[in-house]
Amino acid sequence: MQSQQHYAIIGAGPMGLCTARQLKQYGIAFTGFELHSDVGGLWDIDNPHSTMYHTAHLISSKHMTEFSAFPMKQGVATFPRHDELCDYFKDYAKAFDLYPHYEFSTKVIHCEPNQQGWAITTEKNGAQQTRQFKGLLIANGTLHKPNTVALPGTFEGELIHSSQYKSPAQFKGKRVLIQGCGNSACDIAIDAVHFAKNIDMSVRRGYYFLPKFIMGKPSDTLGGAIKLPRRLKQIIDAFLIRMIMGKPSQYGLPDPDYRMYESHPVINSLILHHLGHGDIYPRKDIVGVEGKTVTFADGETREYDMILQATGYQLDYPFIARKELNWQGMAPSLYLNVFHPKHHNLFMMGMVEATGLGWQGRDEQAEMVALYIAQQEHGSKSAKALTQTVQENTGQRADGGYNYLALERMAYYVDKTTYRNAVIAHSKALKADWPEPQLPKQDACTSLAGEH
């Protein structure tokens, strides 16, 4: 077995790339592994493992999502297309010289802990090899394994998951039922309006719908100037959204039976427009399927040629045993969704979701981990203190007091403010006893920032 003092990063999507940048910045040797032939992760629609579709755009605005060290190009739209984002990540990898650190078209087969660190088996062009690494950083994303739902019966039409959707031409002339009402479901339903013979949506629970723009500005850039108590913020924001968008029940959808921010909101006002115009028809939960006939909870029946399940994704790390991830329920139980209570050389990168966290919030996570690894190497008190904190607080959720719904998607959801405050505080403590004369200089790519 080849011995290395390197750390291993799995994945070259947004999280993998910012992790690689931070490790490089703090002088930590690493090797990255990427299943596809290039960077970008799911944002590269040419990646055979991508769940992207041709009409997809960023849900959050670019300024709330981009890396601060590498702003997007000025000509890029407020809510960029997937291909613009793919180019953005390729430019990012070039600007910070990350390509030489990656082995592309390489599949990670198995990761096994041992006394020296991690034995990692990879495969490329049919040939496998096992190498020894000092530590492991998993950054392969959270939107790969479809969360398919068993139908109550047998459907004789076309049954697909949203992960298999690429183009609205797939709907041409068909009677389509979309199961679900999250962000992807709503985007895809709007695509289907222009191609399908008719389009219905089966909705089981209520959602909060937010517009992308308010008074010409991205809605995610508004508010926050005045810090409100959590409960008061929920009340005020829900009231304001109801004033702007109306109640979902006015469009035939169920109203949410939970408070705002306790589940991920739908950032889409066009879905309500098409519901209001009869282009999309709301349906209740599916209770029966026979042939091409679907029966809904209110007793209504209708025939369909296609059912598209927009039912989300499950966390999936097939290259490592769940017991090594301290898996509890629907997700690993880790401190700040990153640190393992026993494996102090294992880090889950990007297994975090929060309204408004953006890639910059994930970059802050990556810097915290890079600092921790570097301080472990130095044997610093700050690293030992964080290790103690991890052991004592694993399982505690940075939820800010929000009562998140018990859903697959929400299993790793956090409150942005609570989470970022904790990450920034840990990074500050890790920097405080840095043994060198000064910390590495932040490598913001200013030469390209003006072009981006």
mmCIF file of all heavy atoms in Angstrom, residues 36-64:
data_model
loop_
_atom_site.group_PDB
_atom_site.id
_atom_site.type_symbol
_atom_site.label_atom_id
_atom_site.label_comp_id
_atom_site.label_asym_id
_atom_site.label_seq_id
_atom_site.Cartn_x
_atom_site.Cartn_y
_atom_site.Cartn_z
ATOM 1 N N HIS A 36 -16.155 12.706 -12.262
ATOM 2 C CA HIS A 36 -16.289 13.236 -13.619
ATOM 3 C C HIS A 36 -14.916 13.692 -14.139
ATOM 4 O O HIS A 36 -13.932 13.702 -13.398
ATOM 5 C CB HIS A 36 -17.278 14.405 -13.604
ATOM 6 C CG HIS A 36 -17.610 14.961 -14.951
ATOM 7 N ND1 HIS A 36 -17.838 14.167 -16.048
ATOM 8 C CD2 HIS A 36 -17.756 16.252 -15.385
ATOM 9 C CE1 HIS A 36 -18.107 14.930 -17.087
ATOM 10 N NE2 HIS A 36 -18.056 16.194 -16.718
ATOM 11 N N SER A 37 -14.887 14.118 -15.391
ATOM 12 C CA SER A 37 -13.627 14.517 -16.024
ATOM 13 C C SER A 37 -13.289 15.985 -15.813
ATOM 14 O O SER A 37 -12.255 16.458 -16.304
ATOM 15 C CB SER A 37 -13.698 14.235 -17.533
ATOM 16 O OG SER A 37 -14.784 14.937 -18.125
ATOM 17 N N ASP A 38 -14.127 16.717 -15.085
ATOM 18 C CA ASP A 38 -13.888 18.143 -14.859
ATOM 19 C C ASP A 38 -14.549 18.570 -13.551
ATOM 20 O O ASP A 38 -15.278 17.791 -12.929
ATOM 21 C CB ASP A 38 -14.427 18.980 -16.026
ATOM 22 C CG ASP A 38 -13.671 20.292 -16.224
ATOM 23 O OD1 ASP A 38 -13.050 20.773 -15.257
ATOM 24 O OD2 ASP A 38 -13.715 20.831 -17.335
ATOM 25 N N VAL A 39 -14.336 19.809 -13.169
ATOM 26 C CA VAL A 39 -14.914 20.346 -11.941
ATOM 27 C C VAL A 39 -16.347 20.823 -12.209
ATOM 28 O O VAL A 39 -16.791 20.916 -13.338
ATOM 29 C CB VAL A 39 -14.065 21.507 -11.388
ATOM 30 C CG1 VAL A 39 -12.632 21.059 -11.162
ATOM 31 C CG2 VAL A 39 -14.118 22.709 -12.327
ATOM 32 N N GLY A 40 -17.057 21.158 -11.129
ATOM 33 C CA GLY A 40 -18.404 21.719 -11.262
ATOM 34 C C GLY A 40 -19.482 20.909 -10.601
ATOM 35 O O GLY A 40 -20.562 21.423 -10.323
ATOM 36 N N GLY A 41 -19.223 19.620 -10.372
ATOM 37 C CA GLY A 41 -20.219 18.788 -9.702
ATOM 38 C C GLY A 41 -21.524 18.732 -10.467
ATOM 39 O O GLY A 41 -21.556 18.633 -11.697
ATOM 40 N N LEU A 42 -22.637 18.839 -9.750
ATOM 41 C CA LEU A 42 -23.942 18.719 -10.395
ATOM 42 C C LEU A 42 -24.235 19.877 -11.334
ATOM 43 O O LEU A 42 -25.132 19.789 -12.182
ATOM 44 C CB LEU A 42 -25.049 18.578 -9.354
ATOM 45 C CG LEU A 42 -25.369 19.741 -8.414
ATOM 46 C CD1 LEU A 42 -26.328 20.732 -9.068
ATOM 47 C CD2 LEU A 42 -26.015 19.225 -7.134
ATOM 48 N N TRP A 43 -23.493 21.002 -11.204
ATOM 49 C CA TRP A 43 -23.726 22.146 -12.077
ATOM 50 C C TRP A 43 -23.216 21.919 -13.492
ATOM 51 O O TRP A 43 -23.524 22.699 -14.399
ATOM 52 C CB TRP A 43 -23.092 23.404 -11.474
ATOM 53 C CG TRP A 43 -23.811 23.841 -10.236
ATOM 54 C CD1 TRP A 43 -23.413 23.643 -8.946
ATOM 55 C CD2 TRP A 43 -25.077 24.505 -10.169
ATOM 56 N NE1 TRP A 43 -24.351 24.141 -8.080
ATOM 57 C CE2 TRP A 43 -25.393 24.687 -8.811
ATOM 58 C CE3 TRP A 43 -25.979 24.965 -11.130
ATOM 59 C CZ2 TRP A 43 -26.559 25.302 -8.382
ATOM 60 C CZ3 TRP A 43 -27.152 25.581 -10.711
ATOM 61 C CH2 TRP A 43 -27.424 25.753 -9.355
ATOM 62 N N ASP A 44 -22.440 20.879 -13.701
ATOM 63 C CA ASP A 44 -21.990 20.514 -15.043
ATOM 64 C C ASP A 44 -22.980 19.516 -15.620
ATOM 65 O O ASP A 44 -22.961 18.334 -15.280
ATOM 66 C CB ASP A 44 -20.584 19.910 -14.991
ATOM 67 C CG ASP A 44 -20.017 19.632 -16.370
ATOM 68 O OD1 ASP A 44 -20.766 19.747 -17.370
ATOM 69 O OD2 ASP A 44 -18.822 19.293 -16.455
ATOM 70 N N ILE A 45 -23.860 19.987 -16.485
ATOM 71 C CA ILE A 45 -24.910 19.122 -17.020
ATOM 72 C C ILE A 45 -24.339 17.995 -17.870
ATOM 73 O O ILE A 45 -25.000 16.975 -18.106
ATOM 74 C CB ILE A 45 -25.930 19.958 -17.820
ATOM 75 C CG1 ILE A 45 -27.264 19.202 -17.956
ATOM 76 C CG2 ILE A 45 -25.373 20.369 -19.166
ATOM 77 C CD1 ILE A 45 -28.406 20.050 -18.465
ATOM 78 N N ASP A 46 -23.106 18.141 -18.350
ATOM 79 C CA ASP A 46 -22.459 17.082 -19.123
ATOM 80 C C ASP A 46 -21.906 15.974 -18.226
ATOM 81 O O ASP A 46 -21.488 14.922 -18.722
ATOM 82 C CB ASP A 46 -21.333 17.665 -19.976
ATOM 83 C CG ASP A 46 -21.857 18.616 -21.043
ATOM 84 O OD1 ASP A 46 -22.965 18.371 -21.556
ATOM 85 O OD2 ASP A 46 -21.157 19.608 -21.360
ATOM 86 N N ASN A 47 -21.891 16.226 -16.945
ATOM 87 C CA ASN A 47 -21.494 15.199 -15.992
ATOM 88 C C ASN A 47 -22.590 14.141 -15.949
ATOM 89 O O ASN A 47 -23.735 14.448 -15.631
ATOM 90 C CB ASN A 47 -21.322 15.852 -14.605
ATOM 91 C CG ASN A 47 -20.874 14.883 -13.540
ATOM 92 O OD1 ASN A 47 -20.965 13.665 -13.683
ATOM 93 N ND2 ASN A 47 -20.392 15.423 -12.426
ATOM 94 N N PRO A 48 -22.292 12.898 -16.303
ATOM 95 C CA PRO A 48 -23.342 11.866 -16.334
ATOM 96 C C PRO A 48 -23.997 11.627 -14.970
ATOM 97 O O PRO A 48 -25.066 11.027 -14.899
ATOM 98 C CB PRO A 48 -22.603 10.615 -16.816
ATOM 99 C CG PRO A 48 -21.158 10.885 -16.566
ATOM 100 C CD PRO A 48 -20.978 12.362 -16.702
ATOM 101 N N HIS A 49 -23.376 12.119 -13.920
ATOM 102 C CA HIS A 49 -23.930 11.950 -12.576
ATOM 103 C C HIS A 49 -24.686 13.197 -12.108
ATOM 104 O O HIS A 49 -25.182 13.244 -10.988
ATOM 105 C CB HIS A 49 -22.799 11.622 -11.596
ATOM 106 C CG HIS A 49 -21.934 10.496 -12.040
ATOM 107 N ND1 HIS A 49 -22.320 9.173 -11.966
ATOM 108 C CD2 HIS A 49 -20.695 10.496 -12.621
ATOM 109 C CE1 HIS A 49 -21.366 8.405 -12.463
ATOM 110 N NE2 HIS A 49 -20.369 9.176 -12.863
ATOM 111 N N SER A 50 -24.772 14.195 -12.989
ATOM 112 C CA SER A 50 -25.465 15.433 -12.627
ATOM 113 C C SER A 50 -26.972 15.248 -12.673
ATOM 114 O O SER A 50 -27.507 14.538 -13.533
ATOM 115 C CB SER A 50 -25.061 16.554 -13.579
ATOM 116 O OG SER A 50 -25.848 17.714 -13.359
ATOM 117 N N THR A 51 -27.662 15.900 -11.755
ATOM 118 C CA THR A 51 -29.132 15.906 -11.738
ATOM 119 C C THR A 51 -29.671 17.226 -12.279
ATOM 120 O O THR A 51 -30.835 17.557 -12.072
ATOM 121 C CB THR A 51 -29.642 15.665 -10.303
ATOM 122 O OG1 THR A 51 -29.080 16.651 -9.423
ATOM 123 C CG2 THR A 51 -29.248 14.281 -9.814
ATOM 124 N N MET A 52 -28.838 17.986 -12.964
ATOM 125 C CA MET A 52 -29.214 19.277 -13.514
ATOM 126 C C MET A 52 -30.097 19.112 -14.744
ATOM 127 O O MET A 52 -30.037 18.103 -15.439
ATOM 128 C CB MET A 52 -27.947 20.063 -13.875
ATOM 129 C CG MET A 52 -28.166 21.533 -14.130
ATOM 130 S SD MET A 52 -28.867 22.411 -12.727
ATOM 131 C CE MET A 52 -27.679 21.990 -11.427
ATOM 132 N N TYR A 53 -30.945 20.119 -15.024
ATOM 133 C CA TYR A 53 -31.761 20.132 -16.237
ATOM 134 C C TYR A 53 -31.500 21.427 -16.995
ATOM 135 O O TYR A 53 -30.987 22.405 -16.441
ATOM 136 C CB TYR A 53 -33.252 19.954 -15.916
ATOM 137 C CG TYR A 53 -33.773 20.762 -14.761
ATOM 138 C CD1 TYR A 53 -34.352 22.010 -14.956
ATOM 139 C CD2 TYR A 53 -33.708 20.263 -13.455
ATOM 140 C CE1 TYR A 53 -34.844 22.754 -13.890
ATOM 141 C CE2 TYR A 53 -34.195 21.000 -12.379
ATOM 142 C CZ TYR A 53 -34.764 22.242 -12.604
ATOM 143 O OH TYR A 53 -35.241 22.974 -11.545
ATOM 144 N N HIS A 54 -31.847 21.445 -18.279
ATOM 145 C CA HIS A 54 -31.401 22.508 -19.178
ATOM 146 C C HIS A 54 -31.954 23.887 -18.825
ATOM 147 O O HIS A 54 -31.336 24.902 -19.156
ATOM 148 C CB HIS A 54 -31.769 22.157 -20.624
ATOM 149 C CG HIS A 54 -30.941 21.058 -21.199
ATOM 150 N ND1 HIS A 54 -29.601 21.205 -21.489
ATOM 151 C CD2 HIS A 54 -31.255 19.772 -21.518
ATOM 152 C CE1 HIS A 54 -29.127 20.067 -21.967
ATOM 153 N NE2 HIS A 54 -30.097 19.180 -21.996
ATOM 154 N N THR A 55 -33.088 23.956 -18.185
ATOM 155 C CA THR A 55 -33.687 25.258 -17.873
ATOM 156 C C THR A 55 -33.379 25.721 -16.455
ATOM 157 O O THR A 55 -33.927 26.733 -16.002
ATOM 158 C CB THR A 55 -35.211 25.190 -18.060
ATOM 159 O OG1 THR A 55 -35.734 24.147 -17.223
ATOM 160 C CG2 THR A 55 -35.585 24.902 -19.511
ATOM 161 N N ALA A 56 -32.514 25.012 -15.749
ATOM 162 C CA ALA A 56 -32.263 25.308 -14.340
ATOM 163 C C ALA A 56 -31.481 26.602 -14.156
ATOM 164 O O ALA A 56 -30.559 26.915 -14.910
ATOM 165 C CB ALA A 56 -31.505 24.153 -13.687
ATOM 166 N N HIS A 57 -31.882 27.364 -13.150
ATOM 167 C CA HIS A 57 -31.195 28.571 -12.721
ATOM 168 C C HIS A 57 -30.927 28.476 -11.216
ATOM 169 O O HIS A 57 -31.548 27.681 -10.508
ATOM 170 C CB HIS A 57 -32.037 29.827 -12.984
ATOM 171 C CG HIS A 57 -32.119 30.222 -14.415
ATOM 172 N ND1 HIS A 57 -32.810 29.478 -15.350
ATOM 173 C CD2 HIS A 57 -31.602 31.280 -15.091
ATOM 174 C CE1 HIS A 57 -32.717 30.066 -16.530
ATOM 175 N NE2 HIS A 57 -31.990 31.158 -16.402
ATOM 176 N N LEU A 58 -30.019 29.299 -10.745
ATOM 177 C CA LEU A 58 -29.757 29.405 -9.316
ATOM 178 C C LEU A 58 -31.010 29.921 -8.610
ATOM 179 O O LEU A 58 -31.657 30.850 -9.098
ATOM 180 C CB LEU A 58 -28.587 30.358 -9.085
ATOM 181 C CG LEU A 58 -27.958 30.422 -7.696
ATOM 182 C CD1 LEU A 58 -27.340 29.080 -7.327
ATOM 183 C CD2 LEU A 58 -26.891 31.518 -7.669
ATOM 184 N N ILE A 59 -31.383 29.323 -7.496
ATOM 185 C CA ILE A 59 -32.577 29.739 -6.761
ATOM 186 C C ILE A 59 -32.302 30.996 -5.943
ATOM 187 O O ILE A 59 -33.127 31.907 -5.879
ATOM 188 C CB ILE A 59 -33.080 28.587 -5.869
ATOM 189 C CG1 ILE A 59 -33.596 27.441 -6.739
ATOM 190 C CG2 ILE A 59 -34.184 29.076 -4.932
ATOM 191 C CD1 ILE A 59 -33.947 26.200 -5.962
ATOM 192 N N SER A 60 -31.133 31.059 -5.322
ATOM 193 C CA SER A 60 -30.750 32.263 -4.579
ATOM 194 C C SER A 60 -30.011 33.214 -5.517
ATOM 195 O O SER A 60 -29.500 32.809 -6.560
ATOM 196 C CB SER A 60 -29.868 31.886 -3.386
ATOM 197 O OG SER A 60 -28.752 31.120 -3.813
ATOM 198 N N SER A 61 -29.953 34.493 -5.161
ATOM 199 C CA SER A 61 -29.297 35.471 -6.027
ATOM 200 C C SER A 61 -27.782 35.300 -5.974
ATOM 201 O O SER A 61 -27.226 34.807 -4.994
ATOM 202 C CB SER A 61 -29.680 36.892 -5.603
ATOM 203 O OG SER A 61 -29.188 37.180 -4.308
ATOM 204 N N LYS A 62 -27.132 35.750 -7.043
ATOM 205 C CA LYS A 62 -25.687 35.499 -7.162
ATOM 206 C C LYS A 62 -24.885 36.168 -6.055
ATOM 207 O O LYS A 62 -23.914 35.594 -5.548
ATOM 208 C CB LYS A 62 -25.176 35.932 -8.528
ATOM 209 C CG LYS A 62 -25.199 37.430 -8.810
ATOM 210 C CD LYS A 62 -24.581 37.742 -10.179
ATOM 211 C CE LYS A 62 -24.540 39.235 -10.443
ATOM 212 N NZ LYS A 62 -23.937 39.536 -11.769
ATOM 213 N N HIS A 63 -25.266 37.371 -5.643
ATOM 214 C CA HIS A 63 -24.480 38.085 -4.626
ATOM 215 C C HIS A 63 -24.638 37.456 -3.235
ATOM 216 O O HIS A 63 -23.772 37.646 -2.374
ATOM 217 C CB HIS A 63 -24.871 39.557 -4.596
ATOM 218 C CG HIS A 63 -24.505 40.291 -5.844
ATOM 219 N ND1 HIS A 63 -23.217 40.315 -6.341
ATOM 220 C CD2 HIS A 63 -25.256 41.035 -6.714
ATOM 221 C CE1 HIS A 63 -23.172 41.023 -7.456
ATOM 222 N NE2 HIS A 63 -24.394 41.472 -7.707
ATOM 223 N N MET A 64 -25.724 36.722 -3.032
ATOM 224 C CA MET A 64 -25.924 36.029 -1.757
ATOM 225 C C MET A 64 -25.341 34.622 -1.791
ATOM 226 O O MET A 64 -25.351 33.923 -0.787
ATOM 227 C CB MET A 64 -27.414 35.972 -1.422
ATOM 228 C CG MET A 64 -28.043 37.322 -1.128
ATOM 229 S SD MET A 64 -27.348 38.107 0.344
ATOM 230 C CE MET A 64 -28.014 37.022 1.625
#
